[in-house]
Amino acid sequence: MADSDIPLPVKFGTAGLGGVMSWAIVHPFNTSAVRMNLQEGKPVSFPKFLAQTVREKGFVSLYDGVGAGMIRQIFYATSRFGLFEVFRDELTKKTLFSPVGEVSALDRTVAGLSSGAMAAYISCPAEVSLVRMSNDKTLPVESRRNYTSVVNAAVRIAKEDGISAFWRGSTPFVQRAMLVGVTQVGTFDQGKQFYENQLGIKRGTIPNVFCASMTSGLLYSLITMPFESAKNLMAFQKPDKETGKLLYRSTFQTFGLVVRTKGILALWNGFLPYYGRCGGHTVFMFIFVEYMRKMYRNSNSKNIE
């Protein structure tokens, strides 16, 4: 059974499950990346930062906000990966960028941009909750929000900051998600084809999925990190106590302010744990998805027999 023949509920379901399962593994990398990205002062190395965090706050603190992260994956991974395949398969039926029945790199780019943007807007409330919960313990005691759960965070954000706060930082999040759609999902799909055609690594096997995942994970980490930084700064900030205004107002205004005050490399603060999150999540998610779909195909073939 080809991927295009798998029913839509199975496509979306395996995408969501793969996202949630892999997030459980890489969440500590995300927590470290957010905290390193938002920390003030001179940046420290990831190993030193990790050791300090575990020593002062305990290993369990690296799982702060894991509930919000998993809820985010239910919406984000399900819609991004699922919609990508829907859009890609529809494009194979048309002659927009390639002959009918074929999928070009441009087809994958269009599918990735579209699915990424839609998935980001859908999951933005969970993303804001995740960023705030992940970094809350790094603030001075008097400045902490002290969210007790995902539900508590959602209710308090709506009550204290207004519903619109759930989409604070949505622009860089959507821009990042569009890039992720191309550089993660799109290059992964292209990578599986490349490693099969050029290196003879059979498509859908663990080695094929691993190689394609590592390639797409590295590319997507390097390209999207500045947008991740802008999103974190915009989502975590508080209005100025005197003026009531926000310091970070848009993606490129944030880029400019960070570059002027901290230097351009500050946009990549926390890159190593971010790559651990992105690369690790890419590898595990796609391996889990491929494995679950293989189980479905095998089960379906037995039922037919």
mmCIF file of all heavy atoms in Angstrom, residues 6-49:
data_model
loop_
_atom_site.group_PDB
_atom_site.id
_atom_site.type_symbol
_atom_site.label_atom_id
_atom_site.label_comp_id
_atom_site.label_asym_id
_atom_site.label_seq_id
_atom_site.Cartn_x
_atom_site.Cartn_y
_atom_site.Cartn_z
ATOM 1 N N ILE A 6 -3.191 5.503 2.039
ATOM 2 C CA ILE A 6 -3.517 5.430 3.461
ATOM 3 C C ILE A 6 -4.651 6.420 3.757
ATOM 4 O O ILE A 6 -4.596 7.576 3.339
ATOM 5 C CB ILE A 6 -2.278 5.772 4.323
ATOM 6 C CG1 ILE A 6 -1.200 4.701 4.138
ATOM 7 C CG2 ILE A 6 -2.654 5.891 5.792
ATOM 8 C CD1 ILE A 6 0.078 4.989 4.886
ATOM 9 N N PRO A 7 -5.693 5.998 4.466
ATOM 10 C CA PRO A 7 -6.832 6.888 4.766
ATOM 11 C C PRO A 7 -6.401 8.129 5.534
ATOM 12 O O PRO A 7 -5.443 8.094 6.320
ATOM 13 C CB PRO A 7 -7.751 6.004 5.621
ATOM 14 C CG PRO A 7 -7.366 4.597 5.282
ATOM 15 C CD PRO A 7 -5.893 4.636 4.993
ATOM 16 N N LEU A 8 -7.121 9.233 5.325
ATOM 17 C CA LEU A 8 -6.779 10.491 5.986
ATOM 18 C C LEU A 8 -6.742 10.392 7.516
ATOM 19 O O LEU A 8 -5.825 10.940 8.139
ATOM 20 C CB LEU A 8 -7.762 11.588 5.558
ATOM 21 C CG LEU A 8 -7.534 12.217 4.179
ATOM 22 C CD1 LEU A 8 -8.596 13.271 3.907
ATOM 23 C CD2 LEU A 8 -6.149 12.843 4.111
ATOM 24 N N PRO A 9 -7.725 9.716 8.155
ATOM 25 C CA PRO A 9 -7.653 9.616 9.624
ATOM 26 C C PRO A 9 -6.370 8.948 10.111
ATOM 27 O O PRO A 9 -5.819 9.326 11.143
ATOM 28 C CB PRO A 9 -8.885 8.772 9.976
ATOM 29 C CG PRO A 9 -9.839 9.012 8.858
ATOM 30 C CD PRO A 9 -8.975 9.125 7.635
ATOM 31 N N VAL A 10 -5.887 7.963 9.352
ATOM 32 C CA VAL A 10 -4.647 7.278 9.730
ATOM 33 C C VAL A 10 -3.453 8.204 9.531
ATOM 34 O O VAL A 10 -2.529 8.250 10.352
ATOM 35 C CB VAL A 10 -4.466 5.982 8.910
ATOM 36 C CG1 VAL A 10 -3.133 5.306 9.249
ATOM 37 C CG2 VAL A 10 -5.613 5.020 9.178
ATOM 38 N N LYS A 11 -3.449 8.977 8.448
ATOM 39 C CA LYS A 11 -2.361 9.932 8.196
ATOM 40 C C LYS A 11 -2.269 10.959 9.318
ATOM 41 O O LYS A 11 -1.200 11.208 9.879
ATOM 42 C CB LYS A 11 -2.585 10.653 6.859
ATOM 43 C CG LYS A 11 -2.282 9.811 5.629
ATOM 44 C CD LYS A 11 -2.439 10.651 4.373
ATOM 45 C CE LYS A 11 -2.072 9.845 3.131
ATOM 46 N NZ LYS A 11 -2.191 10.635 1.892
ATOM 47 N N PHE A 12 -3.418 11.571 9.648
ATOM 48 C CA PHE A 12 -3.413 12.601 10.682
ATOM 49 C C PHE A 12 -3.142 11.996 12.060
ATOM 50 O O PHE A 12 -2.426 12.579 12.879
ATOM 51 C CB PHE A 12 -4.746 13.355 10.686
ATOM 52 C CG PHE A 12 -4.860 14.403 9.615
ATOM 53 C CD1 PHE A 12 -5.317 14.085 8.347
ATOM 54 C CD2 PHE A 12 -4.492 15.708 9.874
ATOM 55 C CE1 PHE A 12 -5.413 15.056 7.350
ATOM 56 C CE2 PHE A 12 -4.580 16.689 8.887
ATOM 57 C CZ PHE A 12 -5.039 16.355 7.625
ATOM 58 N N GLY A 13 -3.712 10.826 12.321
ATOM 59 C CA GLY A 13 -3.527 10.181 13.616
ATOM 60 C C GLY A 13 -2.086 9.785 13.869
ATOM 61 O O GLY A 13 -1.545 10.024 14.957
ATOM 62 N N THR A 14 -1.434 9.178 12.878
ATOM 63 C CA THR A 14 -0.039 8.774 13.056
ATOM 64 C C THR A 14 0.876 9.992 13.150
ATOM 65 O O THR A 14 1.873 9.970 13.888
ATOM 66 C CB THR A 14 0.429 7.866 11.900
ATOM 67 O OG1 THR A 14 0.147 8.511 10.639
ATOM 68 C CG2 THR A 14 -0.267 6.519 11.945
ATOM 69 N N ALA A 15 0.545 11.068 12.430
ATOM 70 C CA ALA A 15 1.343 12.297 12.513
ATOM 71 C C ALA A 15 1.278 12.875 13.925
ATOM 72 O O ALA A 15 2.303 13.255 14.508
ATOM 73 C CB ALA A 15 0.832 13.327 11.504
ATOM 74 N N GLY A 16 0.071 12.932 14.490
ATOM 75 C CA GLY A 16 -0.089 13.467 15.845
ATOM 76 C C GLY A 16 0.570 12.601 16.898
ATOM 77 O O GLY A 16 1.267 13.100 17.787
ATOM 78 N N LEU A 17 0.368 11.286 16.814
ATOM 79 C CA LEU A 17 0.978 10.369 17.775
ATOM 80 C C LEU A 17 2.501 10.414 17.690
ATOM 81 O O LEU A 17 3.197 10.408 18.712
ATOM 82 C CB LEU A 17 0.482 8.936 17.532
ATOM 83 C CG LEU A 17 -0.881 8.582 18.101
ATOM 84 C CD1 LEU A 17 -1.305 7.183 17.629
ATOM 85 C CD2 LEU A 17 -0.844 8.612 19.634
ATOM 86 N N GLY A 18 3.015 10.464 16.464
ATOM 87 C CA GLY A 18 4.461 10.550 16.283
ATOM 88 C C GLY A 18 5.027 11.811 16.899
ATOM 89 O O GLY A 18 6.090 11.794 17.532
ATOM 90 N N GLY A 19 4.297 12.927 16.737
ATOM 91 C CA GLY A 19 4.734 14.192 17.307
ATOM 92 C C GLY A 19 4.745 14.168 18.826
ATOM 93 O O GLY A 19 5.701 14.620 19.466
ATOM 94 N N VAL A 20 3.693 13.615 19.427
ATOM 95 C CA VAL A 20 3.583 13.559 20.889
ATOM 96 C C VAL A 20 4.653 12.634 21.481
ATOM 97 O O VAL A 20 5.334 12.982 22.460
ATOM 98 C CB VAL A 20 2.180 13.084 21.310
ATOM 99 C CG1 VAL A 20 2.133 12.788 22.806
ATOM 100 C CG2 VAL A 20 1.137 14.144 20.965
ATOM 101 N N MET A 21 4.813 11.442 20.897
ATOM 102 C CA MET A 21 5.781 10.467 21.415
ATOM 103 C C MET A 21 7.212 11.008 21.346
ATOM 104 O O MET A 21 7.997 10.847 22.288
ATOM 105 C CB MET A 21 5.657 9.159 20.627
ATOM 106 C CG MET A 21 4.349 8.412 20.883
ATOM 107 S SD MET A 21 4.005 7.139 19.623
ATOM 108 C CE MET A 21 5.377 6.020 19.883
ATOM 109 N N SER A 22 7.545 11.647 20.240
ATOM 110 C CA SER A 22 8.906 12.163 20.094
ATOM 111 C C SER A 22 9.134 13.384 20.990
ATOM 112 O O SER A 22 10.252 13.608 21.479
ATOM 113 C CB SER A 22 9.191 12.522 18.631
ATOM 114 O OG SER A 22 8.224 13.415 18.121
ATOM 115 N N TRP A 23 8.070 14.172 21.246
ATOM 116 C CA TRP A 23 8.221 15.340 22.114
ATOM 117 C C TRP A 23 8.561 14.911 23.538
ATOM 118 O O TRP A 23 9.322 15.600 24.239
ATOM 119 C CB TRP A 23 6.959 16.192 22.116
ATOM 120 C CG TRP A 23 7.201 17.509 22.800
ATOM 121 C CD1 TRP A 23 6.879 17.852 24.082
ATOM 122 C CD2 TRP A 23 7.864 18.648 22.247
ATOM 123 N NE1 TRP A 23 7.293 19.133 24.364
ATOM 124 C CE2 TRP A 23 7.906 19.649 23.244
ATOM 125 C CE3 TRP A 23 8.423 18.923 20.991
ATOM 126 C CZ2 TRP A 23 8.479 20.889 23.043
ATOM 127 C CZ3 TRP A 23 9.006 20.157 20.789
ATOM 128 C CH2 TRP A 23 9.025 21.122 21.798
ATOM 129 N N ALA A 24 8.016 13.797 23.983
ATOM 130 C CA ALA A 24 8.318 13.300 25.316
ATOM 131 C C ALA A 24 9.814 13.047 25.480
ATOM 132 O O ALA A 24 10.362 13.169 26.579
ATOM 133 C CB ALA A 24 7.538 12.012 25.590
ATOM 134 N N ILE A 25 10.491 12.730 24.388
ATOM 135 C CA ILE A 25 11.928 12.452 24.425
ATOM 136 C C ILE A 25 12.741 13.745 24.401
ATOM 137 O O ILE A 25 13.734 13.878 25.121
ATOM 138 C CB ILE A 25 12.328 11.540 23.240
ATOM 139 C CG1 ILE A 25 11.607 10.197 23.348
ATOM 140 C CG2 ILE A 25 13.843 11.337 23.192
ATOM 141 C CD1 ILE A 25 11.783 9.303 22.122
ATOM 142 N N VAL A 26 12.336 14.708 23.570
ATOM 143 C CA VAL A 26 13.179 15.886 23.336
ATOM 144 C C VAL A 26 12.787 17.117 24.150
ATOM 145 O O VAL A 26 13.451 18.148 24.057
ATOM 146 C CB VAL A 26 13.177 16.274 21.833
ATOM 147 C CG1 VAL A 26 13.613 15.095 20.983
ATOM 148 C CG2 VAL A 26 11.800 16.770 21.386
ATOM 149 N N HIS A 27 11.740 17.021 24.975
ATOM 150 C CA HIS A 27 11.300 18.211 25.721
ATOM 151 C C HIS A 27 12.405 18.876 26.546
ATOM 152 O O HIS A 27 12.464 20.112 26.580
ATOM 153 C CB HIS A 27 10.111 17.870 26.629
ATOM 154 C CG HIS A 27 9.551 19.057 27.334
ATOM 155 N ND1 HIS A 27 8.696 19.958 26.730
ATOM 156 C CD2 HIS A 27 9.748 19.534 28.601
ATOM 157 C CE1 HIS A 27 8.381 20.921 27.580
ATOM 158 N NE2 HIS A 27 9.011 20.686 28.724
ATOM 159 N N PRO A 28 13.283 18.123 27.223
ATOM 160 C CA PRO A 28 14.363 18.797 27.966
ATOM 161 C C PRO A 28 15.234 19.684 27.079
ATOM 162 O O PRO A 28 15.724 20.730 27.534
ATOM 163 C CB PRO A 28 15.163 17.625 28.544
ATOM 164 C CG PRO A 28 14.153 16.526 28.690
ATOM 165 C CD PRO A 28 13.273 16.669 27.493
ATOM 166 N N PHE A 29 15.434 19.285 25.824
ATOM 167 C CA PHE A 29 16.194 20.132 24.906
ATOM 168 C C PHE A 29 15.444 21.426 24.630
ATOM 169 O O PHE A 29 16.041 22.503 24.541
ATOM 170 C CB PHE A 29 16.457 19.399 23.583
ATOM 171 C CG PHE A 29 17.481 18.306 23.675
ATOM 172 C CD1 PHE A 29 17.098 16.983 23.736
ATOM 173 C CD2 PHE A 29 18.834 18.604 23.699
ATOM 174 C CE1 PHE A 29 18.043 15.972 23.826
ATOM 175 C CE2 PHE A 29 19.792 17.610 23.782
ATOM 176 C CZ PHE A 29 19.396 16.276 23.854
ATOM 177 N N ASN A 30 14.120 21.322 24.495
ATOM 178 C CA ASN A 30 13.326 22.528 24.242
ATOM 179 C C ASN A 30 13.379 23.477 25.432
ATOM 180 O O ASN A 30 13.552 24.693 25.260
ATOM 181 C CB ASN A 30 11.871 22.151 23.958
ATOM 182 C CG ASN A 30 10.999 23.364 23.720
ATOM 183 O OD1 ASN A 30 11.055 24.003 22.681
ATOM 184 N ND2 ASN A 30 10.176 23.717 24.706
ATOM 185 N N THR A 31 13.231 22.935 26.637
ATOM 186 C CA THR A 31 13.294 23.767 27.834
ATOM 187 C C THR A 31 14.638 24.493 27.917
ATOM 188 O O THR A 31 14.709 25.699 28.195
ATOM 189 C CB THR A 31 13.102 22.906 29.097
ATOM 190 O OG1 THR A 31 11.840 22.230 29.019
ATOM 191 C CG2 THR A 31 13.121 23.770 30.354
ATOM 192 N N SER A 32 15.728 23.759 27.660
ATOM 193 C CA SER A 32 17.064 24.355 27.694
ATOM 194 C C SER A 32 17.212 25.423 26.623
ATOM 195 O O SER A 32 17.791 26.491 26.860
ATOM 196 C CB SER A 32 18.129 23.267 27.499
ATOM 197 O OG SER A 32 18.053 22.291 28.515
ATOM 198 N N ALA A 33 16.697 25.135 25.421
ATOM 199 C CA ALA A 33 16.810 26.085 24.312
ATOM 200 C C ALA A 33 16.077 27.386 24.626
ATOM 201 O O ALA A 33 16.591 28.485 24.384
ATOM 202 C CB ALA A 33 16.269 25.464 23.032
ATOM 203 N N VAL A 34 14.859 27.277 25.167
ATOM 204 C CA VAL A 34 14.075 28.474 25.502
ATOM 205 C C VAL A 34 14.780 29.285 26.580
ATOM 206 O O VAL A 34 14.911 30.511 26.480
ATOM 207 C CB VAL A 34 12.654 28.081 25.974
ATOM 208 C CG1 VAL A 34 11.919 29.302 26.530
ATOM 209 C CG2 VAL A 34 11.852 27.493 24.821
ATOM 210 N N ARG A 35 15.258 28.609 27.618
ATOM 211 C CA ARG A 35 15.905 29.321 28.720
ATOM 212 C C ARG A 35 17.213 29.975 28.282
ATOM 213 O O ARG A 35 17.497 31.114 28.664
ATOM 214 C CB ARG A 35 16.152 28.355 29.881
ATOM 215 C CG ARG A 35 14.868 27.928 30.579
ATOM 216 C CD ARG A 35 15.120 26.914 31.678
ATOM 217 N NE ARG A 35 13.869 26.535 32.343
ATOM 218 C CZ ARG A 35 13.776 25.605 33.295
ATOM 219 N NH1 ARG A 35 14.862 24.966 33.701
ATOM 220 N NH2 ARG A 35 12.607 25.317 33.834
ATOM 221 N N MET A 36 18.008 29.270 27.486
ATOM 222 C CA MET A 36 19.258 29.850 27.004
ATOM 223 C C MET A 36 18.989 31.011 26.056
ATOM 224 O O MET A 36 19.709 31.999 26.030
ATOM 225 C CB MET A 36 20.104 28.778 26.305
ATOM 226 C CG MET A 36 20.712 27.745 27.245
ATOM 227 S SD MET A 36 21.770 26.549 26.386
ATOM 228 C CE MET A 36 23.171 27.599 25.949
ATOM 229 N N ASN A 37 17.926 30.862 25.267
ATOM 230 C CA ASN A 37 17.570 31.890 24.292
ATOM 231 C C ASN A 37 17.115 33.184 24.964
ATOM 232 O O ASN A 37 17.379 34.278 24.471
ATOM 233 C CB ASN A 37 16.465 31.347 23.384
ATOM 234 C CG ASN A 37 16.180 32.230 22.197
ATOM 235 O OD1 ASN A 37 15.037 32.583 21.961
ATOM 236 N ND2 ASN A 37 17.207 32.563 21.432
ATOM 237 N N LEU A 38 16.459 33.059 26.126
ATOM 238 C CA LEU A 38 15.896 34.226 26.807
ATOM 239 C C LEU A 38 16.776 34.766 27.927
ATOM 240 O O LEU A 38 16.469 35.821 28.485
ATOM 241 C CB LEU A 38 14.517 33.871 27.387
ATOM 242 C CG LEU A 38 13.406 33.580 26.371
ATOM 243 C CD1 LEU A 38 12.144 33.117 27.091
ATOM 244 C CD2 LEU A 38 13.110 34.787 25.498
ATOM 245 N N GLN A 39 17.848 34.057 28.253
ATOM 246 C CA GLN A 39 18.689 34.503 29.374
ATOM 247 C C GLN A 39 19.400 35.812 29.056
ATOM 248 O O GLN A 39 19.744 36.088 27.910
ATOM 249 C CB GLN A 39 19.714 33.419 29.724
ATOM 250 C CG GLN A 39 20.820 33.246 28.713
ATOM 251 C CD GLN A 39 21.841 32.197 29.128
ATOM 252 O OE1 GLN A 39 21.929 31.827 30.288
ATOM 253 N NE2 GLN A 39 22.620 31.717 28.180
ATOM 254 N N GLU A 40 19.603 36.606 30.087
ATOM 255 C CA GLU A 40 20.328 37.862 29.955
ATOM 256 C C GLU A 40 21.803 37.640 30.314
ATOM 257 O O GLU A 40 22.148 36.688 31.009
ATOM 258 C CB GLU A 40 19.725 38.925 30.883
ATOM 259 C CG GLU A 40 18.278 39.272 30.559
ATOM 260 C CD GLU A 40 18.101 39.949 29.209
ATOM 261 O OE1 GLU A 40 19.064 40.589 28.751
ATOM 262 O OE2 GLU A 40 17.017 39.830 28.620
ATOM 263 N N GLY A 41 22.650 38.537 29.843
ATOM 264 C CA GLY A 41 24.057 38.431 30.175
ATOM 265 C C GLY A 41 24.837 37.592 29.178
ATOM 266 O O GLY A 41 24.337 37.236 28.103
ATOM 267 N N LYS A 42 26.065 37.255 29.549
ATOM 268 C CA LYS A 42 26.957 36.524 28.663
ATOM 269 C C LYS A 42 26.486 35.084 28.484
ATOM 270 O O LYS A 42 26.250 34.381 29.468
ATOM 271 C CB LYS A 42 28.385 36.541 29.231
ATOM 272 C CG LYS A 42 29.412 35.911 28.307
ATOM 273 C CD LYS A 42 30.800 35.987 28.923
ATOM 274 C CE LYS A 42 31.842 35.336 28.005
ATOM 275 N NZ LYS A 42 33.206 35.398 28.599
ATOM 276 N N PRO A 43 26.344 34.616 27.234
ATOM 277 C CA PRO A 43 25.905 33.238 26.989
ATOM 278 C C PRO A 43 26.906 32.228 27.537
ATOM 279 O O PRO A 43 28.114 32.477 27.556
ATOM 280 C CB PRO A 43 25.825 33.162 25.454
ATOM 281 C CG PRO A 43 25.739 34.568 24.993
ATOM 282 C CD PRO A 43 26.529 35.365 25.982
ATOM 283 N N VAL A 44 26.398 31.096 28.007
ATOM 284 C CA VAL A 44 27.265 30.018 28.468
ATOM 285 C C VAL A 44 27.053 28.809 27.566
ATOM 286 O O VAL A 44 26.075 28.732 26.830
ATOM 287 C CB VAL A 44 26.964 29.639 29.937
ATOM 288 C CG1 VAL A 44 27.231 30.809 30.853
ATOM 289 C CG2 VAL A 44 25.517 29.165 30.085
ATOM 290 N N SER A 45 27.976 27.855 27.642
ATOM 291 C CA SER A 45 27.867 26.664 26.804
ATOM 292 C C SER A 45 26.698 25.803 27.263
ATOM 293 O O SER A 45 26.275 25.859 28.432
ATOM 294 C CB SER A 45 29.155 25.851 26.864
ATOM 295 O OG SER A 45 29.346 25.313 28.164
ATOM 296 N N PHE A 46 26.186 24.993 26.349
ATOM 297 C CA PHE A 46 25.045 24.133 26.673
ATOM 298 C C PHE A 46 25.370 23.153 27.802
ATOM 299 O O PHE A 46 24.578 23.020 28.752
ATOM 300 C CB PHE A 46 24.587 23.397 25.412
ATOM 301 C CG PHE A 46 23.502 22.381 25.665
ATOM 302 C CD1 PHE A 46 22.387 22.703 26.421
ATOM 303 C CD2 PHE A 46 23.594 21.102 25.130
ATOM 304 C CE1 PHE A 46 21.381 21.770 26.656
ATOM 305 C CE2 PHE A 46 22.604 20.167 25.358
ATOM 306 C CZ PHE A 46 21.493 20.494 26.124
ATOM 307 N N PRO A 47 26.528 22.438 27.770
ATOM 308 C CA PRO A 47 26.835 21.517 28.873
ATOM 309 C C PRO A 47 26.879 22.216 30.236
ATOM 310 O O PRO A 47 26.361 21.698 31.232
ATOM 311 C CB PRO A 47 28.209 20.951 28.492
ATOM 312 C CG PRO A 47 28.250 21.047 27.008
ATOM 313 C CD PRO A 47 27.540 22.334 26.696
ATOM 314 N N LYS A 48 27.494 23.411 30.276
ATOM 315 C CA LYS A 48 27.582 24.154 31.528
ATOM 316 C C LYS A 48 26.198 24.610 31.987
ATOM 317 O O LYS A 48 25.864 24.526 33.176
ATOM 318 C CB LYS A 48 28.498 25.367 31.347
ATOM 319 C CG LYS A 48 28.726 26.156 32.631
ATOM 320 C CD LYS A 48 29.714 27.294 32.400
ATOM 321 C CE LYS A 48 29.945 28.081 33.696
ATOM 322 N NZ LYS A 48 30.909 29.200 33.495
ATOM 323 N N PHE A 49 25.393 25.083 31.042
ATOM 324 C CA PHE A 49 24.040 25.536 31.367
ATOM 325 C C PHE A 49 23.204 24.363 31.883
ATOM 326 O O PHE A 49 22.473 24.500 32.870
ATOM 327 C CB PHE A 49 23.376 26.135 30.126
ATOM 328 C CG PHE A 49 21.965 26.610 30.350
ATOM 329 C CD1 PHE A 49 21.718 27.884 30.845
ATOM 330 C CD2 PHE A 49 20.895 25.775 30.085
ATOM 331 C CE1 PHE A 49 20.416 28.313 31.079
ATOM 332 C CE2 PHE A 49 19.599 26.202 30.303
ATOM 333 C CZ PHE A 49 19.351 27.475 30.795
#
